[in-house]
């Protein structure tokens, strides 16, 4: 597609349920990032994928969070046993090669609300 | 660790010039980026400075001084549509992701 696509755009779930968030990066981009943004706050790094290399998971806040990237393209972020503090906008971004200073292209995000 | 400091809010008049500052603390500096985010929208790339000096792109310019660990974003001929949050960012030390500041909310008033 023309840009980074994320789905769903909104997700409301009950505390304790699992959720899956999807990201479709720009075709040909080898680097993919997940960030989280709480209301009125900055972007918090979660995880980074580059090609076939092992992902950088250093930003994942707990073992309830995991992510996969299949075939070097689509990525899924999974949050197990959701908690209210997980409520945030989850943003996905991709870049051509993951180089320093390279432009990141962001999707519009998934607004997650945990009740 | 790393830190980025930017003002939380700035208000400016339509047609005026506004400067948004960013002071950083990081080991191994590799450049300063700026992103714009409208309410409810996706962050979009504005500029990247790896070397000292001013980079100009239309109404927007970005400046970097590595010796002062300081940069700024300059917006000229402000328009109402420039009302948004502006984030400075640096590469995370020892990693490949970008570390973002907490953002400056710019409000342009008539």
């Amino acid at each position: 597609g023309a840009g980074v696509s994320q789905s769903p755009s909104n997700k409301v779930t009950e505390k304790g349920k699992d959720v899956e968030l999807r990201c479709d990066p720009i075709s040909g981009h080898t680097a993919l990032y997940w960030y989280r943004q709480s209301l009125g706050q900055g972007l918090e790094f979660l995880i980074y994928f580059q090609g076939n290399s092992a992902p950088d998971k250093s930003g994942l806040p707990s073992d309830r969070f995991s992510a996969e990237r299949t075939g070097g393209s689509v990525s899924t972020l999974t949050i197990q046993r959701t908690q209210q503090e997980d409520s945030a906008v989850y943003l996905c971004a991709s870049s051509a090669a993951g180089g320093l200073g390279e432009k990141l292209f962001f999707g519009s995000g998934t607004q997650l609300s945990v009740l | 660790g790393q830190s980025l400091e930017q003002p939380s809010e700035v208000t400016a008049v339509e047609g005026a010039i506004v400067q948004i500052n960013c002071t950083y603390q990081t080991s191994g500096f590799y450049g300063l980026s700026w992103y714009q985010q409208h309410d409810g929208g996706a962050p979009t790339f504005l500029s990247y400075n790896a070397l000292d000096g001013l980079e100009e792109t239309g109404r927007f310019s970005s400046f970097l001084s590595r010796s002062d660990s300081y940069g700024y974003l300059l917006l000229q001929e402000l328009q109402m549509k420039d009302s948004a949050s502006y984030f400075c960012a640096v590469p995370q030390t020892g990693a490949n992701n970008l570390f973002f500041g907490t953002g400056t909310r710019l409000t342009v008033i008539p």
Side-chain angles (χ1 to χ4, degrees):
Chain A
V4 177
S5 177
Q6 292 189 246
S7 62
S9 55
N10 281 283
K11 176 73 177 177
V12 180
T13 190
E14 293 179 351
K15 178 181 171 182
K17 301 276 189 177
D18 297 352
V19 295
E20 281 190 356
L21 313 179
R22 177 189 168 104
C23 172
D24 213 330
I26 292 173
S27 178
H29 279 193
T30 62
L32 186 148
Y33 311 75
W34 283 98
Y35 283 85
R36 177 169 73 173
Q37 186 175 31
S38 299
L39 188 63
Q41 299 298 308
L43 283 71
E44 175 191 4
F45 167 71
L46 297 177
I47 189 168
Y48 163 76
F49 296 89
Q50 172 58 280
N52 295 319
S53 302
D56 176 357
K57 304 179 183 179
S58 59
L60 295 178
S62 78
D63 59 8
R64 298 186 295 105
F65 288 72
S66 63
E68 289 185 341
R69 188 178 186 192
T70 54
S73 180
V74 172
S75 177
T76 302
L77 177 69
T78 301
I79 309 173
Q80 296 179 310
R81 305 181 301 281
T82 52
Q83 303 294 311
Q84 289 183 331
E85 61 262 29
D86 299 334
S87 295
V89 176
Y90 288 81
L91 291 162
C92 175
S94 70
S95 68
L100 291 172
E102 197 170 73
K103 182 189 302 188
L104 266 59
F105 294 83
F106 282 87
S108 296
T110 295
Q111 172 75 62
L112 175 66
S113 300
V114 182
L115 304 180
Chain B
Q2 290 178 291
S3 69
L4 290 165
E5 283 192 26
Q6 35 179 152
S8 57
E9 293 184 351
V10 172
T11 300
V13 177
E14 189 177 15
I17 299 172
V18 71
Q19 178 175 313
I20 299 174
N21 300 321
C22 175
T23 303
Y24 60 86
Q25 244 186 336
T26 181
S27 55
F29 178 75
Y30 297 104
L32 185 71
S33 299
W34 288 92
Y35 284 77
Q36 177 193 59
Q37 185 181 31
H38 288 97
D39 283 348
T44 56
F45 174 85
L46 291 177
S47 67
Y48 170 68
N49 294 63
L51 302 175
D52 291 351
L54 191 69
E55 299 264 350
E56 298 182 53
T57 309
R59 295 187 298 113
F60 291 8
S61 303
S62 56
F63 172 82
L64 177 67
S65 169
R66 288 175 295 171
S67 60
D68 295 321
S69 299
Y70 163 76
Y72 65 71
L73 182 69
L74 191 73
L75 294 80
Q76 301 180 333
E77 301 171 21
L78 279 173
Q79 302 176 9
M80 300 300 289
K81 67 179 182 179
D82 297 330
S83 292
S85 292
Y86 293 84
F87 296 88
C88 57
V90 294
Q92 180 86 41
T93 302
N96 298 93
N97 60 286
L98 274 183
F99 175 78
F100 284 83
T102 52
T104 299
R105 186 174 183 88
L106 171 65
T107 302
V108 180
I109 58 175

